[in-house]
Amino acid sequence: MDLAPSPLAAIEPPRDCPRCPRLVALRERLRVEQPDWWNAPVPALGDAAAWLVIVGLAPGRAGANRTGRAFTGDAAGALLFATLTRLGLASADPGGAAPTLEGALIFNAVRCLPPENKPTPEEARACRPFLAAAAAALPAARVYVALGQLAHQSTIKALGGRLPKARFAHGAEHRLPDGRVVLDSYHCSRYNQQTGRLTPTMLEAVFARALSLRGG
């Protein structure tokens, strides 16, 4: 499967990244079972001049791991893109293709599909250098939205913050010494949607707050 180059292509993990043996084993098995799927680290998606960065957990099995586009092809992505489109952070394609991001960039804290969508702390740590390198390559990005606790932890650490002073909570706001801001949200997973842990109104409020912080 061929896709347009990531806006951070030079610092993305390689297609056969060897850092996490458990994730490599799953990737290799799925390449046999689903040869038409992406089945590789999922690259950043969006605007290389973004002021807003959205950090998710990891690719969904039949979503990003299948399509090769972050948050594309599953229920989590449907809610996320619908929210971004309503707020003018993405523009819908009349032909039905995936929306185009406007001033925003999306990637996951862990770039490869983990079993049961549950990366280990060691896997998050192994992938964190890619998040840190991306943050360093995005000087215009001043606002980060972390979707879920693992994404929050990886984002805070990648940006040089300290977790004891930045505890995860939905709607929490963390201002780092250099002025960058991390906003927390529950992840927009199907499970969180079905249980009511995260509603469309709750997610929209987080991104509305991000918009209010733009340039501030």
Side-chain angles (χ1 to χ4, degrees), residues 5-158:
S6 161
L8 302 173
I11 53 175
E12 295 283 9
R15 183 169 177 81
D16 294 313
C17 182
R19 292 188 175 215
C20 303
R22 193 177 72 120
L23 307 192
V24 171
L26 178 57
R27 177 203 306 155
E28 291 177 348
R29 177 167 65 82
L30 286 177
R31 285 179 177 177
V32 174
E33 295 176 2
Q34 302 287 352
D36 295 331
W37 287 13
W38 178 253
N39 289 325
V42 175
L45 174 68
D47 187 349
W51 63 271
L52 172 65
V53 173
I54 302 161
V55 184
L57 171 64
R61 178 187 171 103
N65 182 66
R66 174 177 60 85
T67 64
R69 286 175 51 96
F71 281 94
T72 301
D74 57 19
L79 175 57
L80 178 61
F81 283 118
T83 302
L84 297 177
T85 300
R86 280 197 303 274
L87 293 174
L89 293 166
S91 58
D93 187 314
T100 299
L101 295 174
E102 308 285 350
L105 189 86
I106 305 175
F107 46 68
N108 287 303
V110 175
R111 300 297 186 92
C112 294
L113 172 70
E116 300 179 353
N117 205 37
K118 294 179 180 178
T120 66
E122 292 76 16
E123 289 160 355
R125 191 177 306 116
C127 212
R128 194 168 299 137
F130 298 111
L131 175 56
L138 297 167
R142 308 306 296 169
V143 182
Y144 286 70
V145 172
L147 300 175
Q149 185 164 354
L150 187 147
H152 160 84
Q153 292 170 346
S154 285
T155 302
I156 292 292
K157 289 182 177 179

Side-chain angles (χ1 to χ4, degrees), residues 146-179:
L147 300 175
Q149 185 164 354
L150 187 147
H152 160 84
Q153 292 170 346
S154 285
T155 302
I156 292 292
K157 289 182 177 179
L159 297 181
R162 296 187 178 183
L163 288 176
K165 295 183 178 180
R167 297 186 182 277
F168 174 81
H170 180 81
E173 184 173 319
H174 312 283
R175 188 170 294 272
L176 301 178
D178 64 4

